[in-house]
């Protein structure tokens, strides 16, 4: 049996169940020294968690910087007018940790899986990771994704890069996580296709280029769902793309904190053809199905042959 056939059968055997996903957009604040701003961000996240739960969501997905996206100039030892190595002693770590703990506690009370971005502190003198925490519906951190392909500033002055993809399952639906500027790297989305995910959760604070179009492209070529979570200040709103590339739900474009909610269901009109036919066929094509059909013909080998 070919690798592609095995992967296809594995996907078939899992028989994706429907799960209700809420994608959020929140204001992003950039000063981790500002205690009141950190607390305000935490309150806004928890308010949207409650809204997502009230609308029947099983999982809530938040943007990069949902609690704080530390500014390179605020953190710079050479700042505020020049970028230099980040001084992480400036971060109000106890306040940040308290807000994340409150989010985890609420996730358990609401029975809401929650994917929330934050800085993940490492042992001194190592720089922290830029991360996505995956909090279960019991309020427990079950895994964490660390951004791997960082921007030049992030890797030069601010963060330690992560090393591996991360997947997790909710009600039989498999998710993968990406972060920051990783939407620019199609190989990361292809990697998750090979890991047989049903949906990629991508959180960003903003990145150059048409992020929304790229999210649609990755969903289409991999025939899976893509959830795009961006700040409320972002020029295009957060939303969820179906495996056929269509936007199924989007937050308001007015810059307000909000959530958009949709059922991820491969049996839906927006998913059925892409998942049933498109994805398995591409796996067969990549596994070498064309080899036996190739021919040995001089008119094929001569690329100057006319007509």
């Amino acid at each position: 049996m070919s690798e592609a056939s095995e992967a296809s059968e594995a996907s078939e055997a899992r028989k994706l169940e429907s799960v209700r996903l809420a994608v959020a957009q929140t204001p992003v604040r950039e000063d981790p020294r500002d205690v009141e701003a950190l607390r305000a961000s935490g309150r806004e996240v928890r308010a949207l968690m409650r809204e997502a739960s009230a609308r029947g969501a099983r999982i809530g997905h938040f943007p990069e910087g949902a609690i704080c996206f530390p500014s390179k100039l605020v953190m710079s030892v050479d700042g505020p007018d020049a970028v230099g190595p980040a001084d992480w002693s400036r971060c109000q770590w106890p306040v940040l940790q308290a807000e994340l703990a409150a989010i985890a506690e609420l996730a358990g009370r609401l029975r809401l899986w929650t994917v929330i971005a934050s800085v993940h502190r490492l042992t001194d003198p190592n720089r922290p990771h830029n991360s996505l925490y995956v909090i279960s519906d019991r309020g427990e951190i079950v895994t964490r994704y660390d951004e791997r392909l960082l921007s030049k500033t992030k890797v030069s002055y601010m963060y330690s890069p992560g090393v591996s993809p991360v997947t997790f399952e909710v009600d039989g639906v498999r998710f993968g996580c990406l972060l920051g500027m990783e939407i620019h790297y199609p190989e990361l989305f292809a990697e998750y296709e090979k890991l047989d995910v049903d949906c990629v959760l991508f959180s960003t604070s903003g990145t150059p280029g048409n992020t929304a179009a790229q999210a649609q492209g990755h969903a289409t070529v991999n025939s899976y769902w893509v959830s795009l979570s961006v700040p409320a200040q972002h020029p295009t709103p957060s939303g969820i793309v179906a495996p056929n590339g269509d936007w199924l739900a989007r937050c308001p474009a007015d810059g307000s904190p909000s959530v958009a909610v949709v059922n991820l269901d491969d049996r839906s009109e927006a998913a059925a053809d892409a998942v049933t036919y498109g994805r398995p066929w591409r796996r067969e094509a990549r596994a070498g199905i064309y080899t036996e059909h190739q021919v040995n013909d001089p008119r094929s080998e001569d690329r100057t042959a006319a007509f």
Side-chain angles (χ1 to χ4, degrees), residues 30-290:
E30 297 188 332
D31 191 346
R33 304 169 302 180
D34 188 333
V35 171
E36 288 309 312
L38 294 175
R39 289 173 175 162
S41 291
R43 288 193 297 270
E44 287 165 352
V45 166
R46 291 188 290 275
L48 291 178
M49 290 171 65
R50 293 185 183 94
E51 180 181 344
S53 177
R55 294 173 62 181
R58 281 284 286 140
I59 179 169
H61 172 212
F62 289 86
E64 180 183 30
I67 305 298
C68 182
F69 184 67
S71 163
K72 59 188 177 184
L73 294 174
V74 168
M75 302 303 291
S76 172
V77 296
D78 300 324
D81 299 318
V83 179
D87 177 5
W88 285 102
S89 69
R90 299 176 181 180
C91 180
Q92 289 288 336
W93 291 108
V95 179
L96 176 61
Q97 291 161 349
E99 293 304 320
L100 290 169
I103 288 167
E105 190 273 336
L106 181 60
R109 283 199 285 118
L110 296 175
R111 306 291 290 177
L112 177 74
W113 285 75
T114 303
V115 179
I116 184 83
S118 184
V119 179
H120 179 72
R121 195 175 190 178
L122 300 182
T123 307
D124 288 337
N126 295 319
R127 296 171 182 163
H129 290 311
N130 186 39
S131 303
L132 280 172
Y133 290 112
V134 178
I135 303 170
S136 76
D137 60 356
R138 296 179 179 273
E140 301 166 345
I141 295 176
V142 295
T143 190
R144 188 192 71 249
Y145 176 73
D146 306 319
E147 185 181 5
R148 291 174 284 168
L149 297 184
L150 303 159
S151 70
K152 186 173 182 179
T153 297
K154 280 180 175 178
V155 76
S156 298
Y157 300 116
M158 301 188 72
Y159 298 104
S160 299
V163 296
S164 62
V166 164
T167 64
F168 66 98
E169 291 193 16
V170 178
D171 300 343
V173 178
R174 185 173 296 162
F175 294 89
C177 299
L178 292 173
L179 182 59
M181 63 175 295
E182 291 181 329
I183 200 161
H184 298 311
Y185 298 96
E187 62 269 28
L188 298 184
F189 287 84
E191 177 182 45
Y192 277 123
E193 196 282 331
K194 291 179 181 177
L195 292 173
D196 207 26
V197 305
D198 303 299
C199 177
V200 168
L201 306 175
F202 173 66
S203 298
T204 186
S205 64
T207 186
N210 191 330
T211 306
Q214 289 182 84
Q216 289 182 280
H218 292 310
T220 304
V221 300
N222 292 293
S223 295
Y224 54 41
W225 308 80
V226 171
S227 179
L228 172 67
S229 186
V230 300
Q233 306 98 306
H234 199 268
T236 58
S238 294
I240 299 166
V241 189
N244 68 354
D246 289 345
W247 289 103
L248 287 194
R250 303 194 79 175
C251 291
D254 58 5
S256 61
S258 55
V259 293
V261 184
V262 73
N263 290 328
L264 307 188
D265 186 348
D266 280 356
R267 296 161 296 187
S268 66
E269 183 178 350
D273 284 350
V275 172
T276 303
Y277 302 110
R279 190 169 183 179
W281 172 250
R282 282 193 292 273
R283 286 178 170 178
E284 283 193 63
R286 290 172 177 140
I289 193 173
Y290 301 104

